[in-house]
Amino acid sequence: MKMKRFLALALTGSMIALSLAGCKDTKKAESSEGAETATVKQEESKASGDKTVITMMYSGTPADPDFETEILPGLVEKEFPNIKLEVTKLPDDQYYTALKTKLASGECPDIILVHPKYAGANGVINLAKAGYLEPLTDLKVLDKVGEGARDAFTYDGEIYGVGSNVSMLGTYFNKDMFEKHNLEIPKNWDEFLNCCKVLKEAGIQPIVMGDKDMYVMQFGLYQIAASKVYAKNLKFDDQLRTGETKFTDKDTWDEVISMYKTLYDEGYIDSSSLGLSAQQAIQKFVDGEAAMTFDHNGDKKSLCAKGAVDFERGYFPLPGNSADEELWASMSIGATPAIYSGSKHIEESKAILEKWFDGESEIWKSMVDMGNIVVTYGYGSENVDEFWKPFMDLYNEGKSSYWCNQGWPSGTENEMEALFSEAIGGQGTTVDDIVNGMQAKFEELYTE
């Protein structure tokens, strides 16, 4: 998924954290009847003629139409006539900066987007540990999600998010270009390199990436790592914590970095990538200026928008495997809304989430029908769109791994991005420098 993303969040001082943590149990007790209490408040608000304003802040690239900013507010007001939902959606890096500032000031929106486990600046474990999130353990809708989805948003016995969908990283491609040059979806790394070679020799830019927004580097690296690292050792990240594995281990992350860097060395990824934003790269793909781009499923609407030329899109897992290895996909439980523990409207916010994620409401159906997500229960879970089928087949076969940074202390991925940026920017940074830097940063940040 929407695609944990990923600047390090310097959590604020211990006084704030302790204060929030101290009131955690009280708030939990007060909110035990979430949706019912909210209904009473709605009736009171109706009698007075006032609307309760709930604020929500999300990250991602806006689509046209955009579900969170354009569709969701009206549907919420239809379900809850006395609630007005105000939504702000920011590009990922801006979101993390804004989140840090708003948490520090105590003026955070009622509802925010969080990622599973340790993933990035809004990883649920770090935010819950600091006391910034309201437990949602009492929501009835949690009975509908799987154990893995509950676990992804659990800290210290409490659940802080509703894991309703699967997010995936993949390769969007121009089907028309592939067919014109007799190219098929590659099943291993050599076949993928050959696709790039054929396209480049035909005068077509094989891949465009917006590396100015460095988090997008994760979109390719994590896909390769799924087959090269986690297919061979799914506990690699757990063992980083015990010291049994290291980023510097031979034929693990060194191979991942080297393989991805090859795409830059050969000119298969646009040489101007460090000067392009994520949005600019999406536009170049949409306008037919490149055959492929790496991105998550949440950006499908933007990547399938009408551009300067018309063409059919497809989506496949980047095959980091050799011909004699299995292909694995990079997939995880997707990001989800959570509630700020300092909100003055906790019960109303809970009522919105209860309705939104019930699997059958108009809000849920509208979200699913946007086509950007793959849900794991309720309406839309039985018939998987053909667009996602290659991924879901691997997922159901047990051939997928979570997005890597979900297992790392927040900030490890930023070190990887910064060093990789130096390497492709001609600053002389080597593969060994990158994996050594990742290991050093992991050891610096890991405190448990």
Side-chain angles (χ1 to χ4, degrees):
M1 36 124 342
K2 294 215 47 255
M3 137 311 220
K4 240 211 289 96
R5 298 180 171 86
F6 307 116
L7 288 176
L9 177 61
L11 295 174
T12 57
S14 58
M15 292 295 291
I16 295 176
L18 289 171
S19 174
L20 288 170
C23 65
K24 175 179 171 183
D25 292 339
T26 302
K27 287 183 177 177
K28 180 184 174 185
E30 292 173 349
S31 64
S32 60
E33 300 298 327
E36 290 83 353
T37 305
T39 302
V40 173
K41 290 187 178 182
Q42 286 292 294
E43 292 301 321
E44 293 174 352
S45 179
K46 184 175 180 179
S48 67
D50 296 330
K51 282 186 180 290
T52 299
V53 177
I54 304 296
T55 56
M56 184 173 98
M57 186 168 72
Y58 244 56
S59 74
T61 304
D64 184 20
D66 189 71
F67 175 74
E68 289 83 13
T69 59
E70 298 177 23
I71 298 174
L72 179 61
L75 294 176
V76 167
E77 189 167 357
K78 184 177 179 181
E79 291 283 356
F80 305 96
N82 295 295
I83 286 180
K84 180 180 181 181
L85 180 67
E86 296 182 348
V87 182
T88 301
K89 193 170 189 179
L90 302 171
D92 296 306
D93 289 349
Q94 292 180 31
Y95 173 80
Y96 302 127
T97 300
L99 181 61
K100 174 184 174 181
T101 301
K102 291 179 182 297
L103 288 172
S105 68
E107 298 180 353
C108 188
D110 302 295
I111 301 173
I112 59 176
L113 184 71
V114 298
H115 276 89
K117 296 184 180 294
Y118 295 92
N122 59 338
V124 69
I125 289 178
N126 288 333
L127 295 180
K129 187 176 182 180
Y132 289 131
L133 302 181
E134 180 69 18
L136 304 179
T137 313
D138 58 338
L139 291 187
K140 296 176 182 177
V141 72
L142 289 172
D143 293 337
K144 299 184 179 184
V145 308
E147 182 178 351
R150 290 192 293 270
D151 179 67
F153 293 99
T154 294
Y155 171 73
D156 197 23
E158 298 282 4
I159 303 173
Y160 294 90
V162 184
S164 62
N165 64 88
V166 177
S167 290
M168 57 199 76
L169 295 174
T171 308
Y172 289 87
F173 73 106
N174 184 321
K175 281 190 172 183
D176 294 0
M177 285 184 181
F178 268 54
E179 290 174 5
K180 180 178 179 180
H181 296 283
N182 299 312
L183 296 174
E184 297 182 352
I185 293 177
K187 300 300 183 184
N188 58 62
W189 185 246
D190 286 341
E191 290 181 4
F192 179 74
L193 291 180
N194 181 64
C195 288
C196 293
K197 182 175 183 291
V198 170
L199 291 164
K200 186 181 179 185
E201 289 178 348
I204 297 169
Q205 180 61 54
I207 307 163
V208 63
M209 294 299 296
D211 291 327
K212 183 177 180 180
D213 293 319
M214 291 193 293
Y215 65 82
V216 305
M217 296 174 187
Q218 297 176 55
F219 297 167
L221 288 164
Y222 292 177
Q223 291 190 74
I224 297 172
S227 294
K228 279 297 172 191
V229 178
Y230 299 93
K232 300 171 184 178
N233 182 5
L234 197 53
K235 295 184 178 180
F236 183 89
D237 292 335
D238 293 334
Q239 293 171 356
L240 280 174
R241 289 176 155 72
T242 63
E244 297 172 77
T245 59
K246 294 181 182 294
F247 286 115
T248 53
D249 289 348
K250 185 174 174 54
D251 297 329
T252 59
W253 274 91
D254 58 340
E255 191 168 10
V256 172
I257 300 292
S258 180
M259 289 169 66
Y260 195 50
K261 186 172 180 294
T262 296
L263 302 181
Y264 293 84
D265 294 341
E266 296 296 329
Y268 297 154
I269 291 181
D270 193 329
S271 60
S272 65
S273 69
L274 288 172
L276 292 177
S277 69
Q279 184 58 52
Q280 288 172 320
I282 287 174
Q283 192 61 50
K284 278 182 171 288
F285 174 77
V286 167
D287 287 339
E289 296 181 29
M292 295 176 281
T293 190
F294 306 132
D295 211 322
H296 60 86
N297 59 293
D299 275 344
K300 180 190 175 188
K301 204 77 175 179
S302 298
L303 284 155
C304 291
K306 183 176 177 60
V309 295
D310 292 327
F311 62 91
E312 186 177 359
R313 278 77 159 177
Y315 196 48
F316 64 83
L318 176 62
N321 56 301
S322 59
D324 61 347
E325 294 174 333
E326 290 185 327
L327 167 63
W328 275 42
S330 181
M331 303 176 65
S332 71
I333 297 298
T336 189
I339 297 175
Y340 172 49
S341 61
S343 168
K344 296 179 182 178
H345 306 294
I346 287 175
E347 302 311 326
E348 294 92 336
S349 298
K350 282 187 173 183
I352 290 173
L353 298 190
E354 191 84 80
K355 177 62 69 172
W356 181 353
F357 293 99
D358 68 358
E360 58 188 17
S361 67
E362 187 176 351
I363 302 175
W364 172 272
K365 290 178 179 178
S366 295
M367 176 183 71
V368 172
D369 287 342
M370 289 294 290
N372 289 352
I373 63 171
V374 180
V375 294
T376 57
Y377 63 87
Y379 171 84
S381 62
E382 294 183 358
N383 300 313
V384 177
D385 190 319
E386 283 295 315
F387 204 79
W388 315 123
K389 192 174 185 305
F391 295 83
M392 294 309 296
D393 286 347
L394 291 171
Y395 184 79
N396 292 328
E397 292 169 11
K399 297 176 182 177
S400 67
S401 64
Y402 56 83
W403 295 4
C404 309
N405 65 320
Q406 291 183 15
W408 306 342
S410 179
T412 308
E413 71 274 39
N414 303 118
E415 185 73 5
M416 175 186 70
E417 295 161 9
L419 293 171
F420 190 80
S421 177
E422 292 177 3
I424 63 175
Q427 298 183 41
T429 303
T430 66
V431 170
D432 283 346
D433 292 334
I434 297 172
V435 294
N436 276 294
M438 292 170 67
Q439 183 63 32
K441 181 59 68 171
F442 179 90
E443 293 175 2
E444 173 191 335
L445 296 173
Y446 180 59
T447 58
E448 295 182 15

